């Protein structure tokens, strides 16, 4: 099975390349600010499956660059999905919990109404809608709080701050599921194999469990990394950002377990793997 992946250096793209023999396209080969170029890359490669693991992910900057974010996260995935539909091949696309408004405390289901509260979320919702409208076999995988040994993420930020701080204030009223990038990659590859064999797709949720606050996530990072840093939980109102963050990022992952036999990962075990990787790279 030939798998074409959009993305080379992102967290999920790196893990896809580590776990499978894929053709991964970087920005120099397929710039997501050019939807037509992305579609042409698919037609030229003629793969069996396409996975889009690339995106505009700078959430706060998107408030000023919403038009660009919408092209990258909305129009280009739509162009990819249409090319895949024309070729009769499955298209898998990574999305986000930010398509929801973050209200309540119950885990979000795939059928719940969407209402993104920031530009990044709106751009990702545009991508979801464009992928569905293409009419081909597709799977949209919504995830949250991605972390790995690569790129920029919360785990690496906390470890960096621990080098110069013995106490930190961390938001404690945003609740979600930290998700290891290697688990997302494994889920995408399993879904790709089943869909290439004829399994139907749809929209799915996949995030780590159990749900925690950012503050509790930070405490677990410091505990596992043996860093003596105290964490004080603070409300989001004391840590304002240009883009509003959802307070409730919990995702109900029952559907992906039922349809594909994929179980959401224990993020604490994923964190241990990432910390080992970071130790080995030092």
């Amino acid at each position: 099975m030939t798998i074409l992946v959009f993305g080379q250096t992102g967290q999920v793209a790196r893990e896809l390349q580590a776990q499978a023999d894929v053709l991964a396209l970087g920005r120099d080969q397929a710039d997501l600010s050019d939807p037509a170029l992305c579609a042409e890359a698919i037609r030229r490669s003629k793969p069996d499956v396409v996975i889009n693991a690339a995106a505009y992910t700078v959430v706060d900057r998107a408030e000023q660059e919403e038009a660009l974010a919408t092209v990258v996260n909305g129009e280009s995935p739509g162009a990819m999905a249409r090319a895949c539909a024309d070729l009769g091949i499955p298209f898998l696309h990574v999305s986000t919990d930010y398509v929801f408004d973050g209200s309540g405390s119950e885990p979000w289901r795939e059928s719940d109404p969407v209402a993104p509260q920031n530009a990044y979320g709106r751009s990702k919702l545009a991508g979801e809608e464009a992928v569905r409208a293409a009419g081909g076999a597709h799977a949209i995988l919504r995830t949250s709080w991605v972390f790995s040994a690569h790129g920029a993420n919360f785990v690496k930020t906390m470890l960096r701050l621990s080098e110069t701080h013995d106490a930190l204030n961390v938001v404690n009223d945003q609740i979600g599921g930290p998700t290891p990038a290697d688990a997302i990659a494994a889920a995408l590859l399993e879904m790709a194999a089943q869909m290439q064999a004829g399994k139907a797709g749809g929209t799915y949720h996949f995030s780590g469990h159990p749900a925690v606050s950012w503050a509790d996530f930070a405490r677990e990072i410091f505990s596992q990394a043996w860093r003596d840093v105290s964490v004080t939980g603070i409300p989001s109102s004391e840590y304002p950002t240009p883009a509003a963050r959802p307070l409730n990022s919990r995702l109900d992952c029952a559907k992906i377990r039922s349809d594909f036999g994929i179980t959401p990962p224990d993020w604490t075990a994923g964190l241990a793997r990432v910390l080992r990787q970071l130790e080995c790279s030092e």
Side-chain angles (χ1 to χ4, degrees):
M1 179 172 63
T2 302
I3 302 176
L4 177 66
V5 172
F6 284 88
Q8 273 186 342
T9 59
Q11 296 186 83
V12 175
R14 290 281 294 267
E15 296 296 343
L16 285 166
Q17 293 168 82
Q19 295 180 32
D21 183 13
V22 302
L23 174 60
L25 303 181
R27 186 175 299 175
D28 58 332
Q29 299 161 295
D31 189 338
L32 268 71
S33 66
D34 188 337
L37 195 63
C38 295
E40 177 56 30
I42 295 172
R43 296 188 181 96
R44 183 174 61 249
S45 301
K46 294 184 172 59
D48 297 307
V49 178
V50 174
I51 299 175
N52 179 32
Y56 181 117
T57 58
V58 188
V59 175
D60 287 328
R61 190 189 303 164
E63 294 299 305
Q64 285 74 48
E65 298 183 348
E66 185 165 1
L68 174 60
T70 301
V71 172
V72 173
N73 293 343
E75 294 177 22
S76 283
M80 296 175 198
R82 289 190 294 273
C84 289
D86 291 343
L87 293 172
I89 61 175
F91 177 65
L92 288 82
H93 175 65
V94 180
S95 191
T96 174
D97 63 286
Y98 278 42
V99 299
F100 297 111
D101 66 11
S103 61
S105 59
E106 291 299 312
W108 294 100
R109 296 181 178 180
E110 291 84 351
S111 57
D112 286 335
V114 291
Q117 298 298 294
N118 58 42
Y120 169 72
R122 290 190 292 271
S123 73
K124 294 296 286 185
L125 178 58
E128 290 191 6
E129 292 171 342
V131 169
R132 295 188 192 100
H138 69 272
I140 294 166
L141 190 70
R142 293 174 179 153
T143 190
S144 63
W145 297 20
V146 182
F147 69 92
S148 72
H150 314 294
N153 58 68
F154 185 77
V155 172
K156 295 180 72 176
T157 297
M158 290 298 103
L159 293 175
R160 175 175 52 80
L161 290 174
S162 74
E163 300 291 341
T164 54
H165 295 71
D166 57 12
L168 291 170
N169 295 333
V170 183
V171 169
N172 67 354
D173 58 354
Q174 297 174 24
I175 311 297
T179 314
D182 61 358
I184 298 171
L188 288 166
L189 291 169
E190 177 62 26
M191 295 172 77
Q194 292 191 35
M195 291 181 68
Q196 203 271 334
K199 182 80 174 182
T203 301
Y204 294 91
H205 290 172
F206 183 77
S207 64
H209 72 90
V212 291
S213 68
W214 287 113
D216 283 337
F217 189 13
R219 293 185 182 103
E220 183 65 18
I221 293 166
F222 297 138
S223 175
Q224 287 200 26
W226 296 94
R227 304 289 175 93
D228 188 14
V229 180
S230 65
V231 175
T232 299
I234 61 171
S236 298
S237 59
E238 292 185 19
Y239 188 73
T241 55
R245 264 63 171 180
L247 297 182
N248 177 22
S249 289
R250 302 170 181 87
L251 296 177
D252 186 319
C253 302
K255 185 180 175 186
I256 195 170
R257 183 188 292 112
S258 174
D259 288 5
F260 286 93
I262 295 172
T263 302
D266 176 348
W267 65 263
T268 61
L271 175 60
R273 291 194 302 274
V274 167
L275 292 175
R276 286 195 298 270
Q277 290 177 50
L278 290 170
E279 287 176 3
C280 291
S281 65
E282 292 179 351

